[in-house]
PDB file of all heavy atoms in Angstrom:
ATOM      1  N   GLN A  95     -24.308   2.845  13.030  1.00 82.00           N
ATOM      2  CA  GLN A  95     -25.383   2.687  14.005  1.00 82.00           C
ATOM      3  C   GLN A  95     -26.141   1.392  13.747  1.00 82.00           C
ATOM      4  O   GLN A  95     -26.292   0.941  12.613  1.00 82.00           O
ATOM      5  CB  GLN A  95     -26.353   3.868  13.908  1.00 82.00           C
ATOM      6  CG  GLN A  95     -25.825   5.144  14.552  1.00 82.00           C
ATOM      7  CD  GLN A  95     -26.902   5.815  15.385  1.00 82.00           C
ATOM      8  OE1 GLN A  95     -27.347   5.241  16.377  1.00 82.00           O
ATOM      9  NE2 GLN A  95     -27.314   6.993  14.972  1.00 82.00           N
ATOM     10  N   GLY A  99     -29.882   0.792  18.201  1.00 84.00           N
ATOM     11  CA  GLY A  99     -29.415   2.113  18.580  1.00 84.00           C
ATOM     12  C   GLY A  99     -30.275   3.218  17.987  1.00 84.00           C
ATOM     13  O   GLY A  99     -30.575   4.222  18.640  1.00 84.00           O
ATOM     14  N   LEU A 100     -30.704   3.046  16.736  1.00 82.00           N
ATOM     15  CA  LEU A 100     -31.575   4.032  16.094  1.00 82.00           C
ATOM     16  C   LEU A 100     -32.944   4.074  16.773  1.00 82.00           C
ATOM     17  O   LEU A 100     -33.525   5.147  16.957  1.00 82.00           O
ATOM     18  CB  LEU A 100     -31.732   3.689  14.613  1.00 82.00           C
ATOM     19  CG  LEU A 100     -30.541   4.024  13.716  1.00 82.00           C
ATOM     20  CD1 LEU A 100     -30.750   3.431  12.337  1.00 82.00           C
ATOM     21  CD2 LEU A 100     -30.332   5.521  13.620  1.00 82.00           C
ATOM     22  N   LYS A 101     -33.448   2.907  17.149  1.00 84.00           N
ATOM     23  CA  LYS A 101     -34.738   2.859  17.840  1.00 84.00           C
ATOM     24  C   LYS A 101     -34.657   3.618  19.173  1.00 84.00           C
ATOM     25  O   LYS A 101     -35.534   4.429  19.501  1.00 84.00           O
ATOM     26  CB  LYS A 101     -35.131   1.406  18.099  1.00 84.00           C
ATOM     27  CG  LYS A 101     -36.466   1.241  18.813  1.00 84.00           C
ATOM     28  CD  LYS A 101     -36.593  -0.114  19.474  1.00 84.00           C
ATOM     29  CE  LYS A 101     -35.736  -0.150  20.750  1.00 84.00           C
ATOM     30  NZ  LYS A 101     -36.019  -1.355  21.566  1.00 84.00           N
ATOM     31  N   THR A 102     -33.589   3.372  19.927  1.00 85.00           N
ATOM     32  CA  THR A 102     -33.416   4.040  21.218  1.00 85.00           C
ATOM     33  C   THR A 102     -33.303   5.545  21.040  1.00 85.00           C
ATOM     34  O   THR A 102     -33.904   6.332  21.792  1.00 85.00           O
ATOM     35  CB  THR A 102     -32.157   3.499  21.920  1.00 85.00           C
ATOM     36  OG1 THR A 102     -32.270   2.085  22.067  1.00 85.00           O
ATOM     37  CG2 THR A 102     -31.976   4.134  23.283  1.00 85.00           C
ATOM     38  N   HIS A 103     -32.548   5.974  20.038  1.00 81.00           N
ATOM     39  CA  HIS A 103     -32.380   7.398  19.764  1.00 81.00           C
ATOM     40  C   HIS A 103     -33.723   8.041  19.389  1.00 81.00           C
ATOM     41  O   HIS A 103     -34.047   9.150  19.834  1.00 81.00           O
ATOM     42  CB  HIS A 103     -31.372   7.587  18.632  1.00 81.00           C
ATOM     43  CG  HIS A 103     -31.116   9.013  18.272  1.00 81.00           C
ATOM     44  ND1 HIS A 103     -30.222   9.812  18.948  1.00 81.00           N
ATOM     45  CD2 HIS A 103     -31.661   9.798  17.291  1.00 81.00           C
ATOM     46  CE1 HIS A 103     -30.214  11.013  18.408  1.00 81.00           C
ATOM     47  NE2 HIS A 103     -31.074  11.033  17.403  1.00 81.00           N
ATOM     48  N   PHE A 104     -34.491   7.335  18.576  1.00 79.00           N
ATOM     49  CA  PHE A 104     -35.790   7.848  18.115  1.00 79.00           C
ATOM     50  C   PHE A 104     -36.755   8.023  19.291  1.00 79.00           C
ATOM     51  O   PHE A 104     -37.429   9.047  19.419  1.00 79.00           O
ATOM     52  CB  PHE A 104     -36.382   6.879  17.083  1.00 79.00           C
ATOM     53  CG  PHE A 104     -37.612   7.388  16.399  1.00 79.00           C
ATOM     54  CD1 PHE A 104     -37.522   8.321  15.391  1.00 79.00           C
ATOM     55  CD2 PHE A 104     -38.871   6.919  16.773  1.00 79.00           C
ATOM     56  CE1 PHE A 104     -38.656   8.789  14.742  1.00 79.00           C
ATOM     57  CE2 PHE A 104     -40.008   7.383  16.142  1.00 79.00           C
ATOM     58  CZ  PHE A 104     -39.904   8.328  15.127  1.00 79.00           C
ATOM     59  N   ILE A 105     -36.788   7.021  20.176  1.00 81.00           N
ATOM     60  CA  ILE A 105     -37.693   7.091  21.331  1.00 81.00           C
ATOM     61  C   ILE A 105     -37.243   8.165  22.312  1.00 81.00           C
ATOM     62  O   ILE A 105     -38.054   8.918  22.857  1.00 81.00           O
ATOM     63  CB  ILE A 105     -37.752   5.717  22.030  1.00 81.00           C
ATOM     64  CG1 ILE A 105     -38.382   4.682  21.100  1.00 81.00           C
ATOM     65  CG2 ILE A 105     -38.518   5.793  23.347  1.00 81.00           C
ATOM     66  CD1 ILE A 105     -38.351   3.267  21.639  1.00 81.00           C
ATOM     67  N   ARG A 106     -35.921   8.272  22.514  1.00 80.00           N
ATOM     68  CA  ARG A 106     -35.397   9.239  23.489  1.00 80.00           C
ATOM     69  C   ARG A 106     -35.762  10.664  23.121  1.00 80.00           C
ATOM     70  O   ARG A 106     -35.966  11.507  23.989  1.00 80.00           O
ATOM     71  CB  ARG A 106     -33.879   9.079  23.576  1.00 80.00           C
ATOM     72  CG  ARG A 106     -33.217  10.013  24.589  1.00 80.00           C
ATOM     73  CD  ARG A 106     -31.726   9.830  24.585  1.00 80.00           C
ATOM     74  NE  ARG A 106     -31.348   8.452  24.919  1.00 80.00           N
ATOM     75  CZ  ARG A 106     -30.116   7.963  24.787  1.00 80.00           C
ATOM     76  NH1 ARG A 106     -29.151   8.741  24.278  1.00 80.00           N
ATOM     77  NH2 ARG A 106     -29.866   6.714  25.119  1.00 80.00           N
ATOM     78  N   PHE A 107     -35.798  10.955  21.834  1.00 77.00           N
ATOM     79  CA  PHE A 107     -36.081  12.333  21.409  1.00 77.00           C
ATOM     80  C   PHE A 107     -37.542  12.515  20.996  1.00 77.00           C
ATOM     81  O   PHE A 107     -37.859  13.349  20.141  1.00 77.00           O
ATOM     82  CB  PHE A 107     -35.132  12.729  20.276  1.00 77.00           C
ATOM     83  CG  PHE A 107     -33.720  12.935  20.746  1.00 77.00           C
ATOM     84  CD1 PHE A 107     -32.804  11.896  20.704  1.00 77.00           C
ATOM     85  CD2 PHE A 107     -33.323  14.154  21.258  1.00 77.00           C
ATOM     86  CE1 PHE A 107     -31.509  12.075  21.141  1.00 77.00           C
ATOM     87  CE2 PHE A 107     -32.025  14.346  21.698  1.00 77.00           C
ATOM     88  CZ  PHE A 107     -31.109  13.300  21.645  1.00 77.00           C
ATOM     89  N   GLY A 108     -38.424  11.722  21.592  1.00 73.00           N
ATOM     90  CA  GLY A 108     -39.855  11.946  21.452  1.00 73.00           C
ATOM     91  C   GLY A 108     -40.450  11.540  20.139  1.00 73.00           C
ATOM     92  O   GLY A 108     -41.484  12.083  19.720  1.00 73.00           O
ATOM     93  N   GLY A 109     -39.865  10.559  19.473  1.00 68.00           N
ATOM     94  CA  GLY A 109     -40.397  10.140  18.187  1.00 68.00           C
ATOM     95  C   GLY A 109     -41.475   9.081  18.283  1.00 68.00           C
ATOM     96  O   GLY A 109     -41.950   8.596  17.261  1.00 68.00           O
ATOM     97  N   GLY A 110     -41.841   8.697  19.501  1.00 73.00           N
ATOM     98  CA  GLY A 110     -42.847   7.644  19.652  1.00 73.00           C
ATOM     99  C   GLY A 110     -42.208   6.284  19.780  1.00 73.00           C
ATOM    100  O   GLY A 110     -40.980   6.120  19.707  1.00 73.00           O
ATOM    101  N   ASN A 111     -43.037   5.287  19.965  1.00 79.00           N
ATOM    102  CA  ASN A 111     -42.544   3.927  20.180  1.00 79.00           C
ATOM    103  C   ASN A 111     -42.511   3.156  18.856  1.00 79.00           C
ATOM    104  O   ASN A 111     -43.436   3.227  18.054  1.00 79.00           O
ATOM    105  CB  ASN A 111     -43.448   3.215  21.188  1.00 79.00           C
ATOM    106  CG  ASN A 111     -42.801   1.930  21.673  1.00 79.00           C
ATOM    107  OD1 ASN A 111     -41.605   1.738  21.512  1.00 79.00           O
ATOM    108  ND2 ASN A 111     -43.600   1.050  22.255  1.00 79.00           N
ATOM    109  N   LEU A 112     -41.428   2.437  18.626  1.00 81.00           N
ATOM    110  CA  LEU A 112     -41.314   1.581  17.447  1.00 81.00           C
ATOM    111  C   LEU A 112     -40.316   0.489  17.746  1.00 81.00           C
ATOM    112  O   LEU A 112     -39.540   0.572  18.709  1.00 81.00           O
ATOM    113  CB  LEU A 112     -40.907   2.380  16.209  1.00 81.00           C
ATOM    114  CG  LEU A 112     -39.434   2.774  16.035  1.00 81.00           C
ATOM    115  CD1 LEU A 112     -39.193   3.238  14.624  1.00 81.00           C
ATOM    116  CD2 LEU A 112     -39.012   3.848  17.014  1.00 81.00           C
TER     117      LEU A 112
END
Side-chain angles (χ1 to χ4, degrees):
Q95 283 224 64
L100 284 171
K101 180 200 75 169
T102 303
H103 180 83
F104 188 77
I105 295 174
R106 181 182 301 169
F107 288 93
N111 193 17
L112 79 166

